[in-house]
Amino acid sequence: MTTIAVLGNGRVGGNLATALARAGHDVTVADRTPGAAADAARTARIVINATPGAGSLDRLAALREELRDTILVDVSNATTDGRDGLPADLLYPGSSLAEQLQEALPETGVVKTLNTMLFPVMTSPATLSQAPTAFLSGEDPQAKQTVRELLTDLGWHKEWITDLGGIRTARATEAAILFVPHVIRSTGFTPFAISLAR
């Protein structure tokens, strides 16, 4: 059992919190009430960033002390929104939200994952007709191993998880969000994920 704080109680955060609690972890969900994120992060070993990506950097940078020596799992994508509310452009072109977070939180092990799929797939990968891929990006090998184990608790088979390397590789997976609005407009809001076919 691991103590986990989920920052963000929308569809993504709520889905992850429910699944991780079901897997036996001690999960706290922080909403937007003042001090809730700090209180939750202060007592957690793993913190999951499920806040809207456009505001994540400011929110989490303010928690630098609370996040010291923790693992921060970043599942968000930082984008501007189009007129239909779907992602339009990357907020950090030439960089990534994960890189910005790691720079702002040097004593925190930031790991990027689960950001290349619609949220239902994060906790039910086996429901797709073919195996999806969960990518890992981060500087700390031990943090990535811990997150890999967390993914298996969510139903991810080991062979479905691909470690891309350092935090800079999150640029590639975050850029994949640009597929999402086009796929949704084409086929509707049906769960899908990016998959490496071998």
Side-chain angles (χ1 to χ4, degrees):
M1 182 186 76
T2 302
T3 304
I4 300 171
V6 179
L7 307 185
N9 63 345
R11 292 181 298 184
V12 174
N15 186 43
L16 286 168
T18 298
L20 289 167
R22 190 181 300 125
H25 297 287
D26 181 5
V27 181
T28 301
V29 179
D31 57 22
R32 289 178 176 266
T33 58
D39 290 343
R42 193 176 291 116
T43 58
R45 178 172 178 242
I46 298 173
V47 177
I48 297 176
N49 175 37
T51 65
S56 290
L57 183 57
D58 288 342
R59 288 189 188 100
L60 274 72
L63 301 175
R64 181 170 173 167
E65 289 305 312
E66 290 84 357
L67 292 170
R68 184 192 301 270
D69 298 326
T70 66
I71 296 170
L72 177 63
V73 182
D74 179 31
V75 304
S76 296
N77 289 303
T79 63
T80 60
D81 288 339
R83 283 179 292 180
D84 57 2
L86 294 174
D89 292 306
L90 298 175
L91 200 58
Y92 303 109
S95 183
S96 64
L97 173 59
E99 289 173 88
Q100 298 293 315
L101 289 170
Q102 187 62 86
E103 184 175 345
L105 304 164
E107 294 171 303
T108 301
V110 178
V111 180
K112 190 80 181 192
T113 193
L114 296 180
N115 63 309
T116 56
M117 61 201 69
L118 291 192
F119 77 91
V121 182
M122 295 177 176
T123 58
S124 300
T127 59
L128 297 184
S129 60
Q130 62 189 53
T133 303
F135 300 99
L136 295 175
S137 299
E139 297 299 322
D140 184 338
Q142 185 55 53
K144 285 194 285 188
Q145 179 57 35
T146 299
V147 174
R148 184 185 291 270
E149 292 166 5
L150 206 63
L151 291 177
T152 62
D153 288 344
L154 292 174
W156 289 85
H157 296 188
K158 292 180 180 179
E159 62 271 20
W160 297 354
I161 304 169
T162 298
D163 186 343
L164 295 179
I167 201 69
R168 197 169 189 266
T169 63
R171 297 180 186 188
T173 60
E174 289 190 26
I177 190 66
L178 299 179
F179 279 104
V180 171
H182 306 298
V183 174
I184 289 175
R185 291 181 191 119
S186 175
T187 62
F189 198 84
T190 303
F192 70 89
I194 289 179
S195 176
L196 290 180
R198 293 188 175 93

